[in-house]
Amino acid sequence: MSEATLPASATVASPLAVQRSRRATVSLTTLRVVLGLFFAIGSAFPKLTAHESATVSFDRIGFGDWFMYSIGGLELIGGIALLIPILSGVASLAFVGLMVGACSFSFAFLGGEFWYTPLILIVPLLFVARAQRDQTVRLLKAVRRQV
């Protein structure tokens, strides 16, 4: 069947377009929102407000408050980016790197305390990165066109 004989209602999907069921789309969106809220509120807020739970850990690391505020800022920005579909793939990949660093710092400076938490978070972050790879490609193409 040639393009001329296709019905008007037929659309040709872009090779990068991912077709998901409604359930898969809702599940992915829910996961992105939960992760985004966790990082923006649950993880960044204590660091940005210098809550005692955060300051004690960062004092043990020995880098000072600037490091705590920097990590908190990155978590807030990344948490917001997870809520934006076109940014969520890149944000989740960035969080994977941040979680590898968090696990390393846990062993190096905190005696391995809660080393497993960042590793557990890597699993859903990789899932989001994989599921949003089409959005990441779109973003990269848009950025390349602007440069």
Side-chain angles (χ1 to χ4, degrees):
M1 183 180 255
S2 73
E3 284 186 46
T5 60
L6 285 175
S9 62
T11 59
V12 178
S14 154
L16 295 176
V18 174
Q19 300 297 320
R20 291 188 187 98
S21 69
R22 178 168 167 73
R23 180 179 289 173
T25 301
V26 169
S27 297
L28 178 60
T29 302
T30 302
L31 180 59
R32 286 183 22 248
V33 168
V34 167
L35 286 169
L37 292 175
F38 169 77
F39 281 110
I41 297 170
S43 192
F45 186 75
K47 293 173 183 78
L48 294 174
T49 60
H51 189 269
E52 184 180 352
S53 63
T55 57
V56 168
S57 295
F58 280 88
D59 285 344
R60 287 174 55 192
I61 292 172
F63 284 179
D65 288 345
W66 71 269
F67 191 65
M68 177 181 66
Y69 292 126
S70 298
I71 297 297
L74 290 172
E75 289 177 338
L76 178 62
I77 292 167
I80 292 168
L82 279 170
L83 303 175
I84 303 169
I86 198 161
L87 298 176
S88 62
V90 172
S92 60
L93 288 173
F95 271 127
V96 167
L98 192 66
M99 292 300 101
V100 169
C103 186
S104 301
F105 269 81
S106 174
F107 282 118
F109 297 102
L110 305 175
E113 186 177 325
F114 301 114
W115 62 270
Y116 49 86
T117 304
L119 293 183
I120 291 170
L121 287 169
I122 285 175
V123 174
L125 288 167
L126 285 173
F127 179 80
V128 171
R130 172 94 166 106
Q132 292 294 95
R133 66 190 179 279
D134 62 318
Q135 296 290 336
T136 303
V137 169
R138 279 186 51 213
L139 179 63
L140 290 173
K141 285 184 177 185
V143 168
R144 286 182 185 150
R145 277 193 299 265
Q146 298 297 320
V147 175

PDB file of all heavy atoms in Angstrom, residues 120-139:
ATOM      1  N   ILE A 120      19.389   1.070  45.828  1.00  0.00           N
ATOM      2  CA  ILE A 120      17.970   0.749  45.609  1.00  0.00           C
ATOM      3  C   ILE A 120      17.344   1.780  44.680  1.00  0.00           C
ATOM      4  O   ILE A 120      16.557   1.434  43.794  1.00  0.00           O
ATOM      5  CB  ILE A 120      17.218   0.662  46.952  1.00  0.00           C
ATOM      6  CG1 ILE A 120      17.683  -0.570  47.729  1.00  0.00           C
ATOM      7  CG2 ILE A 120      15.707   0.628  46.738  1.00  0.00           C
ATOM      8  CD1 ILE A 120      17.193  -0.625  49.166  1.00  0.00           C
ATOM      9  N   LEU A 121      17.683   3.051  44.860  1.00  0.00           N
ATOM     10  CA  LEU A 121      17.117   4.119  44.027  1.00  0.00           C
ATOM     11  C   LEU A 121      17.603   4.050  42.583  1.00  0.00           C
ATOM     12  O   LEU A 121      16.921   4.539  41.678  1.00  0.00           O
ATOM     13  CB  LEU A 121      17.444   5.484  44.629  1.00  0.00           C
ATOM     14  CG  LEU A 121      16.666   5.837  45.889  1.00  0.00           C
ATOM     15  CD1 LEU A 121      17.254   7.066  46.557  1.00  0.00           C
ATOM     16  CD2 LEU A 121      15.198   6.053  45.559  1.00  0.00           C
ATOM     17  N   ILE A 122      18.763   3.459  42.362  1.00  0.00           N
ATOM     18  CA  ILE A 122      19.280   3.359  40.995  1.00  0.00           C
ATOM     19  C   ILE A 122      18.347   2.532  40.108  1.00  0.00           C
ATOM     20  O   ILE A 122      18.168   2.849  38.928  1.00  0.00           O
ATOM     21  CB  ILE A 122      20.713   2.784  40.997  1.00  0.00           C
ATOM     22  CG1 ILE A 122      21.691   3.855  41.483  1.00  0.00           C
ATOM     23  CG2 ILE A 122      21.124   2.290  39.616  1.00  0.00           C
ATOM     24  CD1 ILE A 122      23.118   3.380  41.643  1.00  0.00           C
ATOM     25  N   VAL A 123      17.712   1.522  40.666  1.00  0.00           N
ATOM     26  CA  VAL A 123      16.859   0.636  39.852  1.00  0.00           C
ATOM     27  C   VAL A 123      15.704   1.408  39.198  1.00  0.00           C
ATOM     28  O   VAL A 123      15.565   1.375  37.969  1.00  0.00           O
ATOM     29  CB  VAL A 123      16.367  -0.564  40.686  1.00  0.00           C
ATOM     30  CG1 VAL A 123      15.368  -1.397  39.910  1.00  0.00           C
ATOM     31  CG2 VAL A 123      17.549  -1.419  41.133  1.00  0.00           C
ATOM     32  N   PRO A 124      14.856   2.116  39.954  1.00  0.00           N
ATOM     33  CA  PRO A 124      13.788   2.848  39.268  1.00  0.00           C
ATOM     34  C   PRO A 124      14.303   3.999  38.408  1.00  0.00           C
ATOM     35  O   PRO A 124      13.689   4.330  37.385  1.00  0.00           O
ATOM     36  CB  PRO A 124      12.893   3.361  40.409  1.00  0.00           C
ATOM     37  CG  PRO A 124      13.739   3.325  41.619  1.00  0.00           C
ATOM     38  CD  PRO A 124      14.733   2.220  41.403  1.00  0.00           C
ATOM     39  N   LEU A 125      15.433   4.586  38.780  1.00  0.00           N
ATOM     40  CA  LEU A 125      16.002   5.657  37.958  1.00  0.00           C
ATOM     41  C   LEU A 125      16.452   5.124  36.596  1.00  0.00           C
ATOM     42  O   LEU A 125      16.233   5.771  35.570  1.00  0.00           O
ATOM     43  CB  LEU A 125      17.175   6.321  38.682  1.00  0.00           C
ATOM     44  CG  LEU A 125      16.788   7.195  39.879  1.00  0.00           C
ATOM     45  CD1 LEU A 125      18.019   7.538  40.707  1.00  0.00           C
ATOM     46  CD2 LEU A 125      16.062   8.453  39.427  1.00  0.00           C
ATOM     47  N   LEU A 126      17.066   3.953  36.582  1.00  0.00           N
ATOM     48  CA  LEU A 126      17.446   3.346  35.303  1.00  0.00           C
ATOM     49  C   LEU A 126      16.224   2.969  34.478  1.00  0.00           C
ATOM     50  O   LEU A 126      16.226   3.083  33.255  1.00  0.00           O
ATOM     51  CB  LEU A 126      18.336   2.120  35.535  1.00  0.00           C
ATOM     52  CG  LEU A 126      19.768   2.419  35.947  1.00  0.00           C
ATOM     53  CD1 LEU A 126      20.505   1.123  36.306  1.00  0.00           C
ATOM     54  CD2 LEU A 126      20.510   3.182  34.868  1.00  0.00           C
ATOM     55  N   PHE A 127      15.175   2.537  35.158  1.00  0.00           N
ATOM     56  CA  PHE A 127      13.924   2.213  34.464  1.00  0.00           C
ATOM     57  C   PHE A 127      13.370   3.461  33.772  1.00  0.00           C
ATOM     58  O   PHE A 127      12.988   3.410  32.598  1.00  0.00           O
ATOM     59  CB  PHE A 127      12.902   1.633  35.450  1.00  0.00           C
ATOM     60  CG  PHE A 127      11.598   1.297  34.797  1.00  0.00           C
ATOM     61  CD1 PHE A 127      11.453   0.115  34.086  1.00  0.00           C
ATOM     62  CD2 PHE A 127      10.524   2.160  34.881  1.00  0.00           C
ATOM     63  CE1 PHE A 127      10.251  -0.195  33.463  1.00  0.00           C
ATOM     64  CE2 PHE A 127       9.327   1.859  34.263  1.00  0.00           C
ATOM     65  CZ  PHE A 127       9.187   0.679  33.556  1.00  0.00           C
ATOM     66  N   VAL A 128      13.345   4.583  34.486  1.00  0.00           N
ATOM     67  CA  VAL A 128      12.849   5.834  33.897  1.00  0.00           C
ATOM     68  C   VAL A 128      13.749   6.262  32.739  1.00  0.00           C
ATOM     69  O   VAL A 128      13.257   6.651  31.679  1.00  0.00           O
ATOM     70  CB  VAL A 128      12.749   6.952  34.959  1.00  0.00           C
ATOM     71  CG1 VAL A 128      12.461   8.298  34.313  1.00  0.00           C
ATOM     72  CG2 VAL A 128      11.677   6.622  35.983  1.00  0.00           C
ATOM     73  N   ALA A 129      15.057   6.176  32.917  1.00  0.00           N
ATOM     74  CA  ALA A 129      15.992   6.565  31.853  1.00  0.00           C
ATOM     75  C   ALA A 129      15.752   5.730  30.599  1.00  0.00           C
ATOM     76  O   ALA A 129      15.735   6.258  29.484  1.00  0.00           O
ATOM     77  CB  ALA A 129      17.430   6.419  32.335  1.00  0.00           C
ATOM     78  N   ARG A 130      15.559   4.445  30.783  1.00  0.00           N
ATOM     79  CA  ARG A 130      15.324   3.553  29.633  1.00  0.00           C
ATOM     80  C   ARG A 130      13.988   3.855  28.970  1.00  0.00           C
ATOM     81  O   ARG A 130      13.895   3.935  27.742  1.00  0.00           O
ATOM     82  CB  ARG A 130      15.370   2.098  30.110  1.00  0.00           C
ATOM     83  CG  ARG A 130      14.953   1.084  29.080  1.00  0.00           C
ATOM     84  CD  ARG A 130      16.150   0.551  28.341  1.00  0.00           C
ATOM     85  NE  ARG A 130      15.807  -0.637  27.590  1.00  0.00           N
ATOM     86  CZ  ARG A 130      15.671  -0.635  26.265  1.00  0.00           C
ATOM     87  NH1 ARG A 130      15.860   0.460  25.583  1.00  0.00           N
ATOM     88  NH2 ARG A 130      15.372  -1.735  25.626  1.00  0.00           N
ATOM     89  N   ALA A 131      12.971   4.047  29.771  1.00  0.00           N
ATOM     90  CA  ALA A 131      11.635   4.304  29.228  1.00  0.00           C
ATOM     91  C   ALA A 131      11.552   5.664  28.544  1.00  0.00           C
ATOM     92  O   ALA A 131      10.772   5.841  27.603  1.00  0.00           O
ATOM     93  CB  ALA A 131      10.596   4.213  30.339  1.00  0.00           C
ATOM     94  N   GLN A 132      12.351   6.611  28.971  1.00  0.00           N
ATOM     95  CA  GLN A 132      12.299   7.963  28.420  1.00  0.00           C
ATOM     96  C   GLN A 132      13.410   8.227  27.407  1.00  0.00           C
ATOM     97  O   GLN A 132      13.676   9.373  27.072  1.00  0.00           O
ATOM     98  CB  GLN A 132      12.388   8.986  29.558  1.00  0.00           C
ATOM     99  CG  GLN A 132      11.180   8.991  30.458  1.00  0.00           C
ATOM    100  CD  GLN A 132       9.928   9.445  29.747  1.00  0.00           C
ATOM    101  OE1 GLN A 132       9.161   8.626  29.264  1.00  0.00           O
ATOM    102  NE2 GLN A 132       9.727  10.729  29.646  1.00  0.00           N
ATOM    103  N   ARG A 133      14.057   7.189  26.915  1.00  0.00           N
ATOM    104  CA  ARG A 133      15.178   7.391  26.004  1.00  0.00           C
ATOM    105  C   ARG A 133      14.756   8.128  24.739  1.00  0.00           C
ATOM    106  O   ARG A 133      15.537   8.902  24.189  1.00  0.00           O
ATOM    107  CB  ARG A 133      15.857   6.068  25.670  1.00  0.00           C
ATOM    108  CG  ARG A 133      15.019   5.106  24.877  1.00  0.00           C
ATOM    109  CD  ARG A 133      15.651   3.721  24.797  1.00  0.00           C
ATOM    110  NE  ARG A 133      14.838   2.803  24.055  1.00  0.00           N
ATOM    111  CZ  ARG A 133      13.792   2.150  24.536  1.00  0.00           C
ATOM    112  NH1 ARG A 133      13.424   2.329  25.786  1.00  0.00           N
ATOM    113  NH2 ARG A 133      13.102   1.319  23.791  1.00  0.00           N
ATOM    114  N   ASP A 134      13.518   7.949  24.283  1.00  0.00           N
ATOM    115  CA  ASP A 134      13.061   8.682  23.104  1.00  0.00           C
ATOM    116  C   ASP A 134      12.992  10.178  23.391  1.00  0.00           C
ATOM    117  O   ASP A 134      13.337  10.991  22.547  1.00  0.00           O
ATOM    118  CB  ASP A 134      11.712   8.145  22.617  1.00  0.00           C
ATOM    119  CG  ASP A 134      10.608   8.294  23.647  1.00  0.00           C
ATOM    120  OD1 ASP A 134      10.866   8.031  24.843  1.00  0.00           O
ATOM    121  OD2 ASP A 134       9.483   8.666  23.273  1.00  0.00           O
ATOM    122  N   GLN A 135      12.586  10.546  24.595  1.00  0.00           N
ATOM    123  CA  GLN A 135      12.544  11.953  24.983  1.00  0.00           C
ATOM    124  C   GLN A 135      13.963  12.530  25.090  1.00  0.00           C
ATOM    125  O   GLN A 135      14.201  13.673  24.721  1.00  0.00           O
ATOM    126  CB  GLN A 135      11.816  12.122  26.326  1.00  0.00           C
ATOM    127  CG  GLN A 135      10.364  11.735  26.289  1.00  0.00           C
ATOM    128  CD  GLN A 135       9.525  12.715  25.481  1.00  0.00           C
ATOM    129  OE1 GLN A 135       9.889  13.870  25.314  1.00  0.00           O
ATOM    130  NE2 GLN A 135       8.412  12.243  24.968  1.00  0.00           N
ATOM    131  N   THR A 136      14.880  11.720  25.590  1.00  0.00           N
ATOM    132  CA  THR A 136      16.271  12.160  25.707  1.00  0.00           C
ATOM    133  C   THR A 136      16.867  12.415  24.326  1.00  0.00           C
ATOM    134  O   THR A 136      17.556  13.420  24.118  1.00  0.00           O
ATOM    135  CB  THR A 136      17.105  11.110  26.470  1.00  0.00           C
ATOM    136  OG1 THR A 136      16.508  10.896  27.751  1.00  0.00           O
ATOM    137  CG2 THR A 136      18.544  11.558  26.648  1.00  0.00           C
ATOM    138  N   VAL A 137      16.583  11.545  23.381  1.00  0.00           N
ATOM    139  CA  VAL A 137      17.062  11.729  22.009  1.00  0.00           C
ATOM    140  C   VAL A 137      16.463  13.003  21.414  1.00  0.00           C
ATOM    141  O   VAL A 137      17.162  13.788  20.764  1.00  0.00           O
ATOM    142  CB  VAL A 137      16.749  10.491  21.139  1.00  0.00           C
ATOM    143  CG1 VAL A 137      17.004  10.763  19.663  1.00  0.00           C
ATOM    144  CG2 VAL A 137      17.557   9.292  21.609  1.00  0.00           C
ATOM    145  N   ARG A 138      15.161  13.226  21.628  1.00  0.00           N
ATOM    146  CA  ARG A 138      14.507  14.461  21.142  1.00  0.00           C
ATOM    147  C   ARG A 138      15.184  15.692  21.725  1.00  0.00           C
ATOM    148  O   ARG A 138      15.417  16.674  21.037  1.00  0.00           O
ATOM    149  CB  ARG A 138      13.022  14.471  21.522  1.00  0.00           C
ATOM    150  CG  ARG A 138      12.147  13.666  20.598  1.00  0.00           C
ATOM    151  CD  ARG A 138      10.679  13.818  20.913  1.00  0.00           C
ATOM    152  NE  ARG A 138      10.292  15.219  21.004  1.00  0.00           N
ATOM    153  CZ  ARG A 138       9.353  15.673  21.827  1.00  0.00           C
ATOM    154  NH1 ARG A 138       8.721  14.867  22.634  1.00  0.00           N
ATOM    155  NH2 ARG A 138       9.046  16.946  21.834  1.00  0.00           N
ATOM    156  N   LEU A 139      15.469  15.642  23.018  1.00  0.00           N
ATOM    157  CA  LEU A 139      16.120  16.774  23.671  1.00  0.00           C
ATOM    158  C   LEU A 139      17.510  17.033  23.083  1.00  0.00           C
ATOM    159  O   LEU A 139      17.867  18.174  22.786  1.00  0.00           O
ATOM    160  CB  LEU A 139      16.219  16.517  25.180  1.00  0.00           C
ATOM    161  CG  LEU A 139      16.909  17.596  26.007  1.00  0.00           C
ATOM    162  CD1 LEU A 139      16.138  18.902  25.940  1.00  0.00           C
ATOM    163  CD2 LEU A 139      17.070  17.129  27.439  1.00  0.00           C
TER     164      LEU A 139
END
